[in-house]
Amino acid sequence: MSLETLQITFKEDKEMGTDNIQKKRMTGSEAVMQSLIHEGVKMIFGYPGGAIMPIYDALYDYHSQLHHILTRHEQGALHAAQGYARATGDVGVCFVTSGPGATNAITGIADAQIDSTPLVVISGQVASPLLGTDAFQETDVVGISQPITKWNYQVKNVEEIPEAIARAFYIARSGRPGPVLIDITKDAQFAELDFEYKKVEKIRSYIPVTKTDEEKVAEAAQLINLAKKPLVLVGQGVILAEAEKDLMSLLEKTGMPAAWTLLGMSAMPTDHPLNVGMLGMHGNYGPNIKTNDADLIIALGMRFDDRVTGNVQKYATNAKVIHFEIDPAEINKIIYADVPVLGDIKESLPMLVEKVAANKHEAWVEEFRACDRIEDEKIIKNELYPTKEGLTMGEVVRRVTEQFNDEAILVTDVGQHQMMASRYFKFKHSRSVVTSGGLGTMGFGLPAALGAQLGQPDRAVCVFVGDGGFQMTIQELGTIWQTKAPVKIILLNNNFLGMVRQWQEMFFDKRYASTELINPDFQMITRGYGIACEKVEKREDLDGAIKRMAETDGPFLLEVVVEKEGNVLPMVPAGAAVNEIRLE
């Protein structure tokens, strides 16, 4: 049964755990607080309003246990919770009010759904008697959010609050993670119940993880043992399952080269000898070209997104495909799998490691390195070590990652800077990347960086933003200032909507329609929020400014004016095959 059709039937379905706390009389709003505490929640992102005011009133008495972050917009709250969840592996939690508060959250919910980020969003709703009357700030958020949530439910009866929240956390974090929304009417928040909490351990008809078929693993191992040119594709599923060590065991035993998706970035160290780079439209030359030379593709926790495959009719034309995946819906959805291996990759990967033979593929790996040399000569050298006058995005990324010794968490907004940062930032540790993948949400970066920093206070967080996306959630500078989160913001300013302009240059005869920006004084705005900042326009000033940013205890915005018409290359044009990648 799909989660879209799964309904709560509390009286009929009691397949829950026995982790109880003593019954106590309390309001529905206090029951929300107690339920969150029981689920181990420590931080909530949100924005108050009329329909959720009883819950915020109850929160007032729990400030020592539940730390609430007041963002400046509900979309910012959702992205901050995403950043928190992605950096920590915990479920992100949000509070929003009804009507515009709930609809402002929709973009973040959709982003979390497509990128498999576990969230629990609790929205206030008008009182039950007003439902369906077009009351002030009434919106059918359950109906609106149904296609973009893993599960959602409206609570009108106070007695349902503990069980609804228990199920919400179980569904959000189990199997393939995702967002869940619980909409609670105002009268249910005010009403009283005898509170009792039972953590959910299973739900009838909901099977979040399929048991791994050992025969399929054996089939996969046989194909790997016979392959001459195998290529491993590493997706975010490896990170979500905390299977990074198992991945390294597989690669080092078999000698297979591995490339990674945008969300699979940091699953393996950048400098590992079997790491052959990023897949996809703006990925590295080698893994794109060699996809169609491979005789075996081993996909680990990735979904064959169109940005990875290009033209599916011309994708991996010489290869058999093994697909390790937790979500049955992803099997054969885009690319046919000769051997599908369903289940938790944390369980299936060790089984595979036991069954594969020790091997080396030195000549095959060298083919990727030959591609690296071509890409380095034609693109990377000029991007990272330019001799032209204007600053490039790539050289800024390189100098920032070097300043932080490749130890920082990278957060990005969406656009050219996102691709540049993904290509040139370097990593030593997993869970070091927070970016909007499937939805490509401009405005994601700044609030997501806040959430990542609050979730990982002992790590440096560097967020790269463009001058377009930055202005979509620029108000979250206020949240950063209020929390004093020491986020390092690198604004790459080219006075353009850069990625759209690049497409206009390459495919629309340089007809720059509505992409050039007249920007405000970002330095003045940043200082208005009490945040330290600096602007760099010349190459000789860059290193010193980056060093001063790194040494600043609190938040810092470094604005770097980069060349106006720089392009992100290589590029697989839309509709082209991956081996039709362009170097110029």
Side-chain angles (χ1 to χ4, degrees), residues 47-315:
Y47 203 98
I52 201 168
M53 203 171 293
I55 284 176
Y56 270 90
D57 184 66
L59 179 63
Y60 187 87
D61 295 325
Y62 286 85
H63 65 273
S64 63
Q65 296 164 279
L66 296 169
H67 188 189
H68 180 268
I69 305 299
L70 174 63
T71 58
R72 299 304 185 262
H73 191 280
E74 290 87 356
Q75 183 178 343
L78 268 292
H79 293 329
Q82 287 177 271
Y84 180 88
R86 295 266 288 277
T88 64
D90 297 332
V91 177
V93 179
C94 289
F95 288 167
V96 297
T97 195
S98 64
T103 57
N104 283 344
I106 291 298
T107 295
I109 294 172
D111 195 288
Q113 172 77 342
I114 199 166
D115 282 354
S116 304
T117 304
L119 297 182
V120 170
V121 181
I122 296 177
S123 58
Q125 185 55 274
V126 300
S128 299
L130 296 177
L131 290 172
T133 69
D134 292 332
F136 178 67
Q137 292 193 333
E138 181 197 0
T139 302
D140 180 11
V141 67
V142 171
I144 292 171
S145 65
Q146 187 172 10
I148 55 167
T149 50
K150 196 174 176 187
W151 178 68
N152 67 14
Y153 187 72
Q154 186 173 78
V155 174
K156 293 179 279 188
N157 180 348
V158 67
E159 299 287 345
E160 294 181 344
I161 287 175
E163 295 185 46
I165 291 177
R167 285 183 176 227
F169 276 89
Y170 175 68
I171 291 169
R173 62 166 64 107
S174 61
R176 180 179 179 174
V180 173
L181 181 137
I182 302 297
D183 192 44
I184 308 177
T185 61
K186 198 167 184 178
D187 50 319
Q189 297 173 46
F190 275 125
E192 293 188 347
L193 76 160
D194 291 323
F195 180 80
E196 180 182 15
Y197 199 82
K198 299 178 181 179
K199 289 195 76 170
V200 170
E201 295 172 352
K202 62 179 179 177
I203 298 173
R204 185 173 52 192
S205 302
Y206 168 50
I207 304 172
V209 182
T210 302
K211 182 175 174 56
T212 301
D213 185 340
E214 289 198 48
E215 291 186 7
K216 291 294 183 184
V217 177
E219 287 181 42
Q222 185 176 20
L223 284 180
I224 290 171
N225 292 340
L226 294 173
K228 302 300 182 185
K229 294 186 173 184
L231 176 59
V232 179
L233 312 184
V234 180
Q236 186 188 201
V238 172
I239 297 171
L240 294 174
E242 299 181 349
E244 297 92 341
K245 290 183 179 179
D246 304 301
L247 167 67
M248 299 315 301
S249 295
L250 174 68
L251 299 181
E252 290 171 0
K253 183 175 182 180
T254 61
M256 295 187 294
W260 34 270
T261 68
L262 182 65
L263 296 186
M265 201 180 348
S266 85
M268 57 191 300
T270 307
D271 61 358
H272 193 280
L274 294 173
N275 184 340
V276 295
M278 184 169 73
L279 296 159
M281 179 173 280
H282 290 290
N284 292 106
Y285 184 58
N288 280 293
I289 286 286
K290 294 301 170 183
T291 291
N292 280 12
D293 290 345
D295 60 5
L296 181 65
I297 297 291
I298 306 99
L300 304 178
M302 53 87 71
R303 59 186 180 86
F304 290 107
D305 175 79
D306 62 290
R307 285 300 195 261
V308 166
T309 64
N311 186 333
V312 295
Q313 303 303 319
K314 299 178 180 179
Y315 179 77

